[in-house]
Amino acid sequence: MFKNAIVRRPGRSLINGITSSPEFGTPEYRIAIKQHDDYIEALKFCGVEVTVLKADERFPDSCFIEDVAVCTKKFAMIAKPGAPSRRGEEEEIIKAIKKFYNNLEYIKEPGTLEGGDVMMVKDHFYIGLSRRTNREGAKQLIKTLEKYVMSGSIVEISEALHLKSNLAYLGENVILVAGEFIKNLKFEGYNKIVIDENEIYSANCIRVNDYVLVPAGCPKTKEKIETTGFKIIAIDISEYRKVNGGLSCLSLRF
Ligand code: CIR
């Protein structure tokens, strides 16, 4: 059960967010705000109390707040972004996190780690080694998890931006897998829902209490998830997709 979520409003500088998909165009601020409002409403509908932080124009990608912390049952880990333009975003989350957590931990250099690379399955955390998260960062997180009697393991990534770009744990042993993770033996024990190549973006779904939030415009994924018995809320986040953002990156949930 998630009781809380933290989001950060997008700034006008979102148009300068890092992207590998310039063909999708530039995010339109007015629409991005409306979509952010809808996202917050959906979280509230799922029973979550939402803390909304002000936009930080200095950091174009700062609305992707998931990347700057990992929130577990027992502690919050303040991350260390691997993207140079995102360095410093993590400082801005500390005050907000302190309201909810007594135990704060920190990824220290030369470690880097972004929350999008961390997938929680009960007390175990899969940590993707990506262009953003290095082995040292992953090791630091695993060591800290063990200190709090939890565990972590490493997943090598070759293509995806983040681990959760192509992977989502929905609960009840159900996992969404796409792209390079479809054949990864680490996920063999799960009941896998394989995402179609042409809807690969929709692998980034989030389970929030009784619902699964799914990006709008992905009918095959929606149907596959519904077939397993989950209730769905579809949300349009087209403007965030333009800068490689998905549903999970827009909030910290705990
Ligand atoms: C970035 O490249 O850092 C942002 N433009 C998108 C971050 C997406 N975050 C995530 O998948 N967790």
Side-chain angles (χ1 to χ4, degrees):
M1 261 318 257
F2 293 127
K3 285 192 184 146
N4 295 289
I6 305 178
V7 301
R8 184 179 293 287
R9 294 299 262 173
R12 289 183 184 278
S13 62
L14 180 66
I15 54 169
N16 298 320
I18 306 166
T19 187
S20 60
S21 321
E23 69 278 11
F24 290 145
T26 310
E28 199 171 309
Y29 178 69
R30 192 181 46 84
I31 304 176
I33 288 288
K34 158 83 174 76
Q35 293 178 345
H36 205 251
D37 288 341
D38 293 346
Y39 181 82
I40 293 169
E41 282 314 306
L43 290 175
K44 288 183 180 166
F45 182 81
C46 297
V48 171
E49 192 142 322
V50 185
T51 299
V52 182
L53 305 180
K54 281 196 294 198
D56 188 338
E57 294 291 353
R58 295 170 302 161
F59 297 107
D61 286 302
S62 53
C63 60
F64 303 120
I65 195 165
E66 172 182 70
D67 291 325
V68 297
V70 177
C71 294
T72 78
K73 277 191 304 202
K74 298 176 185 163
F75 70 95
M77 173 66 91
I78 304 301
K80 182 67 69 188
S85 66
R86 302 197 61 180
R87 277 290 168 95
E89 275 182 38
E90 73 278 15
E91 307 288 333
E92 303 305 321
I93 192 71
I94 295 172
K95 213 165 111 198
I97 297 254
K98 270 190 177 157
K99 292 200 177 124
F100 298 97
Y101 282 94
N102 293 325
N103 297 323
L104 249 61
E105 306 280 350
Y106 299 84
I107 297 290
K108 296 183 188 73
E109 288 183 277
T112 65
L113 182 130
E114 295 190 0
D117 280 319
V118 182
M119 184 178 77
M120 176 175 80
V121 178
K122 298 181 191 145
D123 282 345
H124 186 76
F125 292 72
Y126 292 96
I127 308 163
L129 290 192
S130 66
R131 280 161 281 160
R132 304 290 182 84
T133 296
N134 65 17
R135 197 170 290 278
E136 171 60 25
K139 274 192 193 160
Q140 290 180 24
L141 179 55
I142 292 172
K143 204 167 160 207
T144 310
L145 285 163
E146 287 169 355
K147 185 171 102 181
Y148 289 93
V149 202
M150 292 184 273
S151 60
S153 60
I154 282 175
V155 181
E156 308 272 349
I157 301 180
S158 52
E159 287 161 24
L161 168 62
H162 287 119
L163 183 73
K164 284 186 292 190
S165 306
N166 290 348
L167 202 59
Y169 182 66
L170 300 187
E172 281 98 69
N173 209 44
V174 177
I175 198 165
L176 302 185
V177 285
E180 66 187 282
F181 302 124
I182 295 173
K183 296 211 166 112
N184 191 315
L185 298 176
K186 295 210 160 110
F187 306 109
E188 277 309 302
Y190 294 99
N191 178 7
K192 290 200 261 183
I193 296 179
V194 177
I195 303 294
D196 261 53
E197 182 62 28
N198 58 6
E199 289 190 7
I200 194 161
Y201 176 69
S202 63
N204 184 262
C205 289
I206 46 173
R207 166 88 183 267
V208 186
N209 302 338
D210 292 337
Y211 295 88
V212 177
L213 274 51
V214 179
C218 303
K220 289 185 198 153
T221 299
K222 188 168 171 277
E223 196 188 328
K224 285 180 186 176
I225 298 175
E226 270 169 344
T227 307
T228 61
F230 289 105
K231 289 184 279 183
I232 302 267
I233 301 176
I235 306 186
D236 191 358
I237 48 163
S238 61
E239 302 316 290
Y240 300 95
R241 184 181 187 177
K242 292 174 178 173
V243 280
N244 300 149
L247 283 168
S248 76
C249 0
L250 287 169
S251 61
L252 286 164
R253 303 160 298 280
F254 46 95

